[in-house]
Amino acid sequence: AQSVTQLDSQVPVFEEAPVELRCNYSSSVSVYLFWYVQYPNQGLQLLLKYLSGSTLVKGINGFEAEFNKSQTSFHLRKPSVHISDTAEYFCAVRKDSSYKLIFGSGTRLLVRP
Amino acid sequence: DAGVIQSPRHEVTEMGQEVTLRCKPISGHNSLFWYRQTMMRGLELLIYFNNNVPIDDSGMPEDRFSAKMPNASFSTLKIQPSEPRDSAVYFCASSPEASKGAIQYFGAGTRLSVL
């Protein structure tokens, strides 16, 4: 079965520091990869997605992610975080031709001043 | 567009009562999903509709849960009778299509507390 692993449940970081949130997936077939962000008391909002083509994907709010097929990873990065980036981040994967999004358990990014 | 609209935002009820959660998807979207989010289990897909037809309800926990989509602009998730373990945040999401890289757009959720 398909699965998504977000190893870090919480990542504390100081403002203006770089951050990487890790995501690994298990699948032997073509997949589509997504990162969603959830701010407190809100629904999930798409940050970025990888469908095909360039392995480096840029999203909103200065975030980017790199698809690494050999390592089955899709880590999310930002070179300099803001207090407002404090939120829960979810990695998700969907197999080609499937409607199901499989979500990871989420990583809480805590940005400190 | 106003996005996916869910109501109510918060619901507090007593065990045994019927609870109905409502969702209005984005106009023109033909796929609708209901999710449940808890600390223990994360985000779980409960049911998926395509063109108002339930396609996959394998995630519905038990017979106490039911979902309907009478038309393209409205869906309900009903729990009868409710139990404390149903306490969670329930999200509705819609998508313009069900396959490939189509994005799912989420509502703000309904936080359900069953006492």
Side-chain angles (χ1 to χ4, degrees), chain A residues 32 34 36 38 41-46 49 51 88 90 94-101 103-105 108, chain B residues 9-10 33 35 37 43 45 48 55-56 58 91 97-109 111:
Chain A
Y32 303 109
F34 305 79
Y36 281 83
Q38 184 180 26
N41 299 315
Q42 295 186 28
L44 279 70
Q45 176 184 353
L46 184 72
K49 63 180 180 179
L51 305 182
E88 186 105 19
F90 292 92
R94 178 161 60 201
K95 282 197 303 186
D96 191 6
S97 77
S98 171
Y99 58 85
K100 274 192 175 180
L101 259 183
F103 285 90
S105 55
R108 184 174 299 276
Chain B
R9 288 295 313 276
H10 302 274
F33 307 81
Y35 290 90
Q37 185 180 39
L43 269 162
L45 177 65
Y48 155 59
I55 303 299
D56 182 358
S58 60
F91 289 104
E97 59 179 3
S99 62
K100 297 187 182 291
I103 299 168
Q104 292 185 20
Y105 296 84
F106 284 74
R111 183 173 298 274

Side-chain angles (χ1 to χ4, degrees), chain A residues 11-105:
Chain A
V11 173
V13 63
F14 287 107
E15 192 174 17
E16 297 184 6
V19 70
E20 178 179 85
L21 306 183
R22 296 180 293 169
C23 172
N24 287 87
Y25 65 93
S26 64
S27 177
S28 58
V29 299
S30 295
V31 296
Y32 303 109
L33 297 156
F34 305 79
W35 275 99
Y36 281 83
V37 60
Q38 184 180 26
Y39 298 105
N41 299 315
Q42 295 186 28
L44 279 70
Q45 176 184 353
L46 184 72
L47 270 180
L48 48 80
K49 63 180 180 179
Y50 172 78
L51 305 182
S52 64
S54 173
T55 57
L56 184 62
V57 180
K58 294 190 182 298
I60 62 171
N61 301 340
F63 283 93
E64 62 182 32
E66 185 155 19
F67 169 58
N68 187 319
K69 187 174 182 179
S70 62
Q71 297 186 2
T72 59
S73 68
F74 190 54
H75 301 332
L76 182 71
R77 301 186 184 101
K78 186 169 182 177
S80 175
V81 294
H82 302 134
I83 296 287
S84 59
D85 292 323
T86 294
E88 186 105 19
Y89 292 79
F90 292 92
C91 181
V93 62
R94 178 161 60 201
K95 282 197 303 186
D96 191 6
S97 77
S98 171
Y99 58 85
K100 274 192 175 180
L101 259 183
I102 307 299
F103 285 90
S105 55

